[in-house]
Amino acid sequence: MTTPHDAPAPGTPSAGTPTPGTPAAGASAPAKPSADEVRRLIALGCRILAHRGLAEDILGHISLRDDDGTLHIRCRGPRERGLLFTDPGDVWRVGLDGDTDLPDGYRVPNELPIHREVLRARPDAQAVVHIHPPNVVAADLAGLTLRPIVGAYNIPAMRMALDGIPVYPRGVLITRPDLGREVATALAERPVCILRGHGIVAIGETVQQAVVRALTVESLAKMTLAASGHRTPPVLPEADIAELPDLGSAFNDETVWRSHLARLEHAGLGLD
């Protein structure tokens, strides 16, 4: 369908209309979630990532910054069953700088330095996802750069690739602050960084946004691998890029998040 030149592109707000995902003028900011709500949100994020194939077994974690110098993070407990079965009780508060005291049987992720150092380096980030998406790892190891080869198929993926997705070139566990700082430096101002032979780090203003960004880069990697099996896929033409609107965080993050929650519930994996 052709859009008239004098009409806004689909998804583009008209004058005086608030951008999706941003409060209208005079509207109050969203209420801060309670600790219980945060734990439930992180647990659901872990389940979504695992259900969509981005996590193998027990590997991966999500964190959310609090404003008191702490963060909530998915930990491993005495009844560890993997990310797909994460419960709110697996999510605990630890210090952004020091305190990691947890109840008996629980321990923080070995790669807690990823979360601490990225949050320290990126004050705009509230949530951090570290996960092992197989298509991202495979594409990078095959020497395939994630380029803007798709358009309306996945607009956020196109924009992410258009800006460039950085790569941290070491396939090591990020268990020390100095390694965490290296990852934060590689990430720089981008929303996602590939960890070679390892996984990714994705950040967001919310858990929902960080999770959806992780899903987005895995979708792009999967398409890159599929297309590259036949020939080198061309990048999207600039004229087409200019036609694609930013549909806003309410659509790109919240609506996609709800779709994945529905998939969990359909599979009997929702939280009561």
Side-chain angles (χ1 to χ4, degrees):
M1 181 178 70
T2 302
T3 303
H5 294 295
D6 58 351
T12 303
S14 58
T17 302
T19 300
T22 60
S28 59
K32 180 182 174 182
S34 68
D36 286 345
E37 290 169 333
V38 167
R39 292 186 179 100
R40 179 181 176 84
L41 189 62
I42 290 175
L44 286 169
C46 289
R47 288 187 176 213
I48 286 171
L49 290 170
H51 187 238
R52 299 302 296 158
L54 275 70
E56 290 286 347
D57 304 321
I58 63 173
L59 301 177
H61 19 86
I62 299 174
S63 68
L64 183 67
R65 184 204 305 264
D66 207 336
D67 56 11
D68 62 356
T70 65
L71 58 90
H72 279 89
I73 190 165
R74 201 271 189 196
C75 299
R76 290 187 185 148
R79 298 177 61 247
E80 177 64 58
R81 296 181 298 160
L83 258 66
L84 187 60
F85 305 102
T86 302
D87 288 320
D90 296 320
V91 180
W92 292 92
R93 189 194 301 266
V94 302
L96 185 56
D97 294 308
D99 178 32
T100 57
D101 288 338
L102 298 177
D104 288 344
Y106 284 93
R107 61 186 179 89
V108 297
N110 292 330
E111 294 185 297
L112 177 60
I114 291 176
H115 301 265
R116 283 178 162 171
E117 299 304 327
V118 167
L119 289 174
R120 202 172 275 129
R122 291 290 298 271
D124 59 315
Q126 299 301 313
V128 176
V129 165
H130 171 53
I131 202 71
H132 297 178
N135 288 297
V136 174
V137 174
D140 178 62
L141 290 176
L144 301 173
T145 300
L146 300 187
R147 301 151 66 235
I149 62 172
V150 298
Y153 174 79
N154 191 327
I155 297 173
M158 179 274 294
R159 296 195 183 283
M160 188 181 291
L162 192 64
D163 291 337
I165 301 172
V167 177
Y168 176 66
R170 304 184 66 188
V172 299
L173 285 175
I174 313 302
T175 57
R176 304 193 310 265
D178 61 309
L179 296 174
R181 288 190 290 271
E182 287 180 3
V183 170
T185 298
L187 176 66
E189 300 303 314
R190 296 289 189 260
V192 175
C193 179
I194 298 169
L195 312 183
R196 178 154 294 155
H198 184 174
I200 65 167
V201 172
I203 64 167
E205 296 179 5
T206 62
V207 168
Q208 295 94 318
Q209 185 177 64
V211 167
V212 171
R213 283 173 168 174
L215 295 167
T216 295
V217 73
E218 173 71 346
S219 173
L220 178 60
K222 184 176 181 180
M223 184 62 68
T224 298
L225 284 168
S228 298
H230 303 282
R231 64 188 183 96
T232 301
V235 300
L236 201 66
E238 290 186 9
D240 289 359
I241 291 172
E243 287 287 337
L244 295 170
D246 181 353
L247 300 176
S249 62
F251 183 88
N252 291 338
D253 302 324
E254 295 293 336
T255 303
V256 174
W257 171 267
R258 288 196 300 272
S259 171
H260 286 289
L261 288 183
R263 286 173 180 259
L264 278 184
E265 292 166 1
H266 181 69
L269 294 165
L271 290 173
D272 294 332

